[in-house]
Amino acid sequence: MLEKTFDPKTVEPRLYAAWEQSGAFAPTDNPNAEPFSIVIPPPNVTGSLHIGHALNNTLQDVLIRFQRMRGKAALWLPGTDHAGIATQMVVERQLAEAGNMGRRDMGRDAFIAKVWEWKAESGGTIVNQLRRLGASCDWSRERFTLDEGLSAAVRKVFVQLHKEGLIYRDKRLVNWDPHFQTAISDLEVEQKEVDGAYWHFAYPLEDGSGEIVVATTRPETMLGDTAVAVHPDDERYKGLVGKMVRLPIVGRLIPIVADEYADPEKGSGAVKITPAHDFNDFQVGKRHGLEAINILDAYGKINENAPEEFRGHDRFAARKMIIEQFEALELLRGIEKTRHQVPHGDRSGVVIEPWLTDQWYVDAETLAKPAIKAVEDGKTVFSPKNWEKTYFEWMRNIQPWCISRQLWWGHRIPAWYGPDGQIFVEETEEAAQARADAHYGQPTALSQDEDVLDTWFSSGLWPFSTLGWPEKTSDLERFYPTHTLVTGFDIIFFWVARMMMMGLHFTGEVPFQRVVINALVRDQTGAKMSKSKGNVMDPLVLIDQYGCDAVRFTLTAMSGQARDIKLSEQRIEGYRNFGTKLWNATRFAQMNGCVRVEGFDPGAAEQTLAKWIRGETAKTAAEVTAALEACAYDEVANALYRFIWNVFCDWYLELAKPILNGADEAAKAEIQATTAWVLDQCLLLLHPVMPFITEELWEKTAEEGPARAGFLMTEPWPDYPADYIDATAEAEIGWVVALVSEVRSLRAEMNVPPGARVPLTLAGAGDEAAARLDRHRDLILSLGRLQSADLGEAPAGSVPFVIGEATGSLAVADFIDLAAEKARLTKEIAGLDADIERVNRKLGNPDFLAKAKEEVIEENRTKLADAEAAKAKLGAALKRLEGVS
């Protein structure tokens, strides 16, 4: 007999260890099995499991467990990303806290050795946390982006792209982090709204005829101005285009140019152009052949290209000095306070500078063309499909991809420099040296590029490098292209697009057939989770409190087609109760002798109830299978919840009790065997979503009846014949369920006391309905808490309802105070009317819609919908009462 309760804390680690040790996570060796592969979006090696990871990896695990049970060679390949800047930051911070020397004092080799040491000790945290989530990855194939095999793939890709002219070195603007002294990607830039100002500066015309006023939020950059731009159609400045102004403080003469970038409606309509320190200005500079003067060093301090008095000063100190000088020169024309977005490094927290520097770039525009066509042709599809638009917009406007980072931890760029700056790009130092010696005609010392590659470069190779490319491995042949990628929409640009480009270029095939975009997890009000708000939900804490299965089911159930998931502990608690319901149903079955029978054939069942539940099981299996194939995860959870809680536990087991307690031994034996069979099907269908409780029940129910072949997770997925659905049984039991449901609903609406036994009459019932009433009368009386259930006309004081062709009547007048109930309902409806009016006023107020946060607006819309639904229900109940005579 089962214990009274399921204990996740003891069961989960025991079962997971048994699964992993058995090798059940590895794909089957059956050569005829259809391959189905997923590569994990590699979490940062510095990371720990957050709620976004929990969602993404739960959805992947649901899918891989389903396909494994279908007999496919299911591979879920795990691994971690070396996370260049994040990992380097962690180790540098640890060195500082321990009072050790910094990385530059240690030297590159010693520092890298320290990072590998940290990785060996602490780098597996998130991998072990994924195990706690139940992730059935094939850990024997686990990869790391700095593995030697993956590193070899990176070197080969870099060298080949360079030889093809698709990787090159160029001087362009990058997002520069002055704290880490490195370029960072757009993904690592966080826009923060801060208090600032527009300073309006006057630039005198060279000929002394006047001045032109520009406005800037970054006064220090004026030291690098090389033009002033006005719109070509701006009548105010047509006579000034081509003239020169003298740049105050610096004294440099700069031209006034006509360019559509200048907005006549914004400020004075004239804008200062600093090509070395603004991305838009850089493009203006290219159009007009302007000089790009970099006035900042790598630390964000003024460099030698500015007047001497500013050199060595921090950019913000220089800002203050420049404003003071403009004021002293009487060229400050105004200060306009503002709130504006300023880019910050997401890890350093410092203001990011657009900075002109030499970096390595990929010709992303060329690589993007086949990747665009692959999605246009349907070789890779997005789900939901609307995300294809996002993909196309990014890819069709793609810019050169800066791939070099001024870090030490990562894939060092395989480029070596000769004494005259000649570059030799090869996979090995030996090959580069051989080329250099041939080039110079004698042995010549080389120095390797100090930079490492952007982590997105190596992760862009992830689907094929992890399978052994460039070697022609059996895994690569069997599992590439992968089938499904499950990821968040926020990295479509940074990861999905790059995998598409790299996969097509180096293998000739798309890296995955389908991209499933999962939602973002927010708190129960729809607000973004953040530590500062105190609304972060730690999945590991939730697992400790409610069990892994409850967390997984909640995330699956809420992962619909919408962008956001509003997560609350109440939902998780509710789905824990769902697991408890299944556990208790299994205990009930055991206590009533519902043991699996060797050779039992549900298709041969004779009892109407057995035929009905068999058909409901078959319909649910078809619904769940179709939803899993489509990755419609919420539909999977909803179908399972409805069937297990409502159909099986609430209805079938109640309907089965009279037979289980009856004298008909043949009927009893069939219902016992059927119950045990349905329980097995519940466990099979639910297993991908709630693997632990289902595996435990599978093991425990094996203690009686025939032996099990092995783990539930390796059992075949249910597939039932069409004739399992019996239309006659479905109609009959469906009628009973509908009748009892109407009775229960009316009792609740009318506030009939639970202990009251109310008479029921059916008028206008045909022969079939009359026969059903006669066959199931005792059951209907028990489930509906009725005094009687007979054919006949409605007595006085009855509330009517429709059931098929008949009209049912529930005689409630003797059990409730009609006047008091009408008054109660009228009062509740009035309260809802007031709520509806108040919320409608809010939602109809343009100021509220303009100023309120989106989650607050959405919360009010939900309140309105709930109130209107409640009013409709209460209104229907009041109408029924008013009809009672």
Side-chain angles (χ1 to χ4, degrees), residues 419 433-446:
Q433 189 67 59
R435 269 190 60 205
D437 293 350
H439 173 78
Y440 292 110
Q442 60 183 4
T444 304
L446 299 178

Side-chain angles (χ1 to χ4, degrees), residues 330-349:
E330 297 183 349
L331 293 174
L332 180 62
R333 295 290 177 261
I335 302 174
E336 179 188 345
K337 296 295 183 184
T338 186
R339 293 275 296 172
H340 63 135
Q341 299 284 340
V342 174
H344 289 70
D346 65 347
R347 290 187 175 89
S348 67

Side-chain angles (χ1 to χ4, degrees), residues 864-878:
L864 179 62
D866 290 346
E868 287 175 338
K871 179 188 172 183
K873 188 173 181 180
L874 293 179
L878 182 59

Side-chain angles (χ1 to χ4, degrees), residues 17-28 68 138 711 713-714:
W19 286 331
E20 187 174 356
Q21 189 175 3
S22 74
F25 296 159
T28 176
R68 187 183 290 124
D138 182 359
F711 288 121
M713 70 169 289
T714 57

Side-chain angles (χ1 to χ4, degrees), residues 811-822:
V812 298
D814 292 339
F815 301 94
I816 61 174
D817 184 333
L818 288 174
E821 279 305 304
K822 288 177 185 177

Side-chain angles (χ1 to χ4, degrees), residues 149-168 361-362 367 401 403 411 414 425-427 453 456-462 464-465 469-470 498-499 501-507:
L150 272 66
S151 295
V154 167
R155 290 192 296 269
K156 180 176 177 60
V157 165
F158 186 96
V159 172
Q160 182 175 327
L161 289 176
H162 183 265
K163 290 184 187 302
E164 293 170 349
L166 296 172
I167 281 183
Y168 56 92
Y361 290 88
V362 171
L367 291 176
W401 170 18
I403 55 170
H411 295 100
V425 174
E426 294 292 344
E427 291 183 45
L453 288 163
W456 295 108
F457 190 90
S458 51
S459 59
L461 317 181
W462 187 251
F464 56 94
S465 65
W469 186 94
R498 284 159 186 175
M499 287 189 288
M501 292 189 288
M502 294 298 202
L504 281 161
H505 192 77
F506 287 97
T507 73

Side-chain angles (χ1 to χ4, degrees), residues 536-767:
V536 172
M537 300 179 77
D538 185 335
L540 299 171
V541 172
L542 296 173
I543 288 170
D544 283 340
Q545 189 169 354
Y546 299 103
C548 181
D549 290 319
V551 174
R552 287 171 59 111
F553 198 96
T554 306
L555 293 170
T556 305
M558 301 187 74
S559 182
Q561 297 293 299
R563 179 177 287 197
D564 297 340
I565 288 175
K566 295 179 183 178
L567 189 63
S568 69
E569 285 200 40
Q570 290 86 348
R571 290 293 294 265
I572 301 171
E573 185 177 9
Y575 289 128
R576 180 190 61 187
N577 296 342
F578 170 64
T580 301
K581 185 89 167 176
L582 177 61
W583 187 269
N584 290 340
T586 308
R587 278 176 55 83
F588 170 85
Q590 287 183 330
M591 287 187 286
N592 284 274
C594 301
V595 178
R596 293 174 301 111
V597 175
E598 186 79 53
F600 173 71
D601 179 12
E606 296 180 359
Q607 294 293 310
T608 301
L609 182 61
K611 293 177 182 177
W612 172 74
I613 194 62
R614 178 190 69 196
E616 290 296 312
T617 305
K619 286 192 293 182
T620 301
E623 187 178 352
V624 170
T625 301
L628 282 168
E629 287 176 337
C631 288
Y633 293 102
D634 56 332
E635 294 176 19
V636 172
N638 292 340
L640 289 167
Y641 189 94
R642 181 195 64 82
F643 174 69
I644 293 171
W645 188 299
N646 300 115
V647 176
F648 179 66
C649 295
D650 279 357
W651 287 110
Y652 172 77
L653 291 181
E654 287 298 322
L655 295 169
K657 282 178 182 176
I659 302 174
L660 292 172
N661 296 326
D664 187 335
E665 291 300 323
K668 179 178 180 179
E670 182 173 289
I671 292 301
Q672 285 173 327
T674 298
T675 303
W677 176 80
V678 176
L679 261 174
D680 271 6
Q681 310 319 298
C682 289
L683 300 181
L684 288 162
L685 293 169
L686 183 60
H687 177 76
V689 185
M690 300 182 86
F692 291 107
I693 193 171
T694 53
E695 188 74 76
E696 180 73 353
L697 287 171
W698 187 261
E699 181 182 305
K700 295 294 186 184
T701 52
E703 294 170 2
E704 299 175 347
R708 302 282 198 196
F711 288 121
L712 170 62
M713 70 169 289
T714 57
E715 283 291 309
W717 184 254
D719 184 18
Y720 310 110
D723 61 6
Y724 267 27
I725 299 171
D726 185 298
T728 303
E730 186 175 353
E732 175 142 343
I733 302 301
W735 184 87
V736 174
V737 168
L739 176 62
V740 174
S741 296
E742 283 287 349
V743 168
R744 288 175 171 176
S745 179
L746 278 179
R747 289 181 67 113
E749 282 180 17
M750 303 299 138
N751 221 15
V752 176
R757 297 284 173 174
V758 184
L760 169 71
T761 57
L762 283 186
D767 293 343

